[in-house]
Amino acid sequence: SHGNKEVFSCRGILLAVQWFWDRGHKDITVFVPSWRKEQPRPDVLITDQHILRDLEKKKILVFTPSRRVGGKRVVCYDDRFIVKLAHESDGIVVSNDTYRDLQSERPEWKKFIEERLLMYSFVNDKY
């Protein structure tokens, strides 16, 4: 949401990570689809892409799998990665997604999502 739905803003990810880091949270994992590493297209803009590589080197960011089949991109359902890791590590999920479909998939995930989902917003560069 940092890019106002006009661009994918990697700086927004960094601002969120920094906000938690500054408050003493060191076990942070960011999931981003691997196709975000690709050269941006005019219809899918991305800014400060180097931030993704820097966060990956620091073992904060994980790229979720994707592949090309017949010229089309096939991506995994990364919401499941997010909720599964947070649940298994007794963490929280920081997202504006409500994960409704996953709430009905597993009873333990429903309670977890209801209690451990932290929604957010940006005001310019303030997280």
Side-chain angles (χ1 to χ4, degrees):
S1 65
H2 184 257
N4 294 323
K5 298 182 182 176
E6 295 169 13
V7 299
F8 182 83
S9 170
C10 300
R11 181 164 163 63
I13 292 173
L14 181 60
L15 290 168
V17 166
Q18 194 64 53
W19 191 91
F20 285 97
W21 192 267
D22 290 347
R23 284 153 183 80
H25 302 283
K26 305 301 183 202
D27 187 10
I28 300 169
T29 304
V30 175
F31 287 101
V32 174
S34 62
W35 61 268
R36 292 286 186 190
K37 290 191 269 189
E38 297 172 7
Q39 184 68 30
R41 299 185 333 231
D43 60 327
V44 186
L45 298 174
I46 184 168
T47 57
D48 299 314
Q49 207 169 17
H50 67 279
I51 291 172
L52 301 182
R53 290 186 298 277
D54 293 344
L55 290 172
E56 182 184 31
K57 284 178 190 167
K58 294 176 182 173
K59 301 196 182 297
I60 292 172
L61 184 139
V62 175
F63 287 103
T64 57
S66 69
R67 59 192 171 112
R68 289 207 173 267
V69 177
K72 292 189 176 195
R73 182 183 300 122
V74 177
V75 297
C76 70
Y77 186 52
D78 54 3
D79 288 1
R80 199 170 279 115
F81 281 88
I82 295 164
V83 173
K84 185 176 188 299
L85 177 65
H87 183 259
E88 289 175 355
S89 61
D90 198 30
I92 65 166
V93 174
V94 178
S95 177
N96 288 335
D97 189 332
T98 59
Y99 301 98
R100 286 186 211 275
D101 54 329
L102 293 179
Q103 288 186 41
S104 61
E105 192 171 292
R106 293 190 180 178
E108 66 270 21
W109 284 5
K110 178 176 175 31
K111 183 172 174 27
F112 179 81
I113 292 167
E114 287 173 351
E115 296 175 359
R116 298 290 187 97
L117 176 61
L118 178 62
M119 299 180 112
Y120 67 92
S121 62
F122 283 98
V123 176
N124 298 317
D125 277 351
K126 287 203 177 261
Y127 177 78

